[in-house]
Amino acid sequence: MTYSIAIDGPAGAGKSTIAKKIAKELGFIYVDTGAMYRAMTYFFVTEHIKKEDAGAMGRLCENADISIKYQNGEQQVFLNGENVTPYLRTEEVGNLASVVATNGDVRRKLVELQQKLAKSENVVMDGRDIGTCVLPHADLKVYLTASPKTRAARRFKELTEKNILCNIEEIENDIIDRDKRDMEREISPLRQAEDAVLVDSSDMGVEEVVSYILQLFMERK
Ligand code: DC
């Protein structure tokens, strides 16, 4: 038997920071499912597939062999044998990924991979549909959110620290657009599972959120 914690929520809510810390604390593996959608997006970009061409994406996703390995505890995503992790965190890939993630064939393929992983390992998995679709029987489901303003400010700080020029209003608008696409798509839209605990991190520090979620898990397991 394996344990699983599902963390869903909109872009920039702090899911990966929080999920990583929880996984480390519990000795579970952290699975960043967004990175899988980003790897599939990267594949389509390199194949020159247009974002409007859902048919080509559906056919071609079968040619993308996506797998996950761990190096020093960090998730690495391999696409057809190549470690593509360094190319996945750009704003361009992130915004395109929310379009690619509306494709049913892409989702079927990646959900299967995610479910296989959770069968063999204790996992903290983050994404948009983990509690509602990928792991409906997760031991704990969390819906982690924060206001668009807070999320944009966090992203702005992160990019500025990396010396990347950016505009906070543009970031906030991208976040609002991405939320809309993720929440309004037909297949597995982003929504809080009925049995998920809502955590609004707008006024909470990282450690506060981590210890709250750990406490919830201990109560349930
Ligand atoms: O979490 P992220 O920003 O890396 O995710 C990139 C995109 O992938 C996001 O816009 C929505 C999509 N996604 C999804 O639809 N389902 C998931 N389980 C994870 C991500």
Side-chain angles (χ1 to χ4, degrees), residues 33-34 37-38 89 97-98 101 107 127-129 178 182 185:
T33 63
Y37 288 91
R38 286 170 185 259
R89 298 296 324 163
S98 82
R107 297 203 75 83
R128 305 291 188 287
D129 60 339
R178 214 191 300 178
D182 291 345
R185 69 175 175 230

Side-chain angles (χ1 to χ4, degrees), residues 16-75:
S16 66
T17 307
I18 305 288
K20 251 186 227 172
K21 283 181 178 273
I22 292 169
K24 195 162 178 210
E25 196 65 41
L26 294 170
F28 290 9
I29 64 165
Y30 163 55
V31 184
D32 169 4
T33 63
M36 298 180 185
Y37 288 91
R38 286 170 185 259
M40 190 63 91
T41 304
Y42 181 76
F43 174 68
F44 293 143
V45 170
T46 56
E47 294 289 315
H48 309 289
I49 305 298
K50 294 209 171 67
K51 67 175 190 219
E52 297 78 20
D53 197 349
M57 286 186 197
R59 284 191 304 281
L60 267 180
C61 72
E62 281 313 313
N63 301 348
D65 175 23
I66 292 177
S67 60
I68 286 210
K69 289 183 187 143
Y70 289 86
Q71 284 171 5
N72 304 323
E74 291 284 323
Q75 173 178 293

Side-chain angles (χ1 to χ4, degrees), residues 9-12 15 37 94-102 107 127-129 143 151 174-191:
K15 297 187 298 294
Y37 288 91
N95 289 330
L96 265 180
S98 82
V99 180
V100 169
T102 61
R107 297 203 75 83
R128 305 291 188 287
D129 60 339
Y143 189 84
R151 290 186 278 136
D174 280 350
I175 281 180
I176 292 169
D177 282 354
R178 214 191 300 178
D179 284 357
K180 191 168 153 61
R181 265 200 302 273
D182 291 345
M183 288 172 176
E184 293 181 359
R185 69 175 175 230
E186 222 163 280
I187 313 167
S188 313
L190 168 64
R191 62 177 176 80

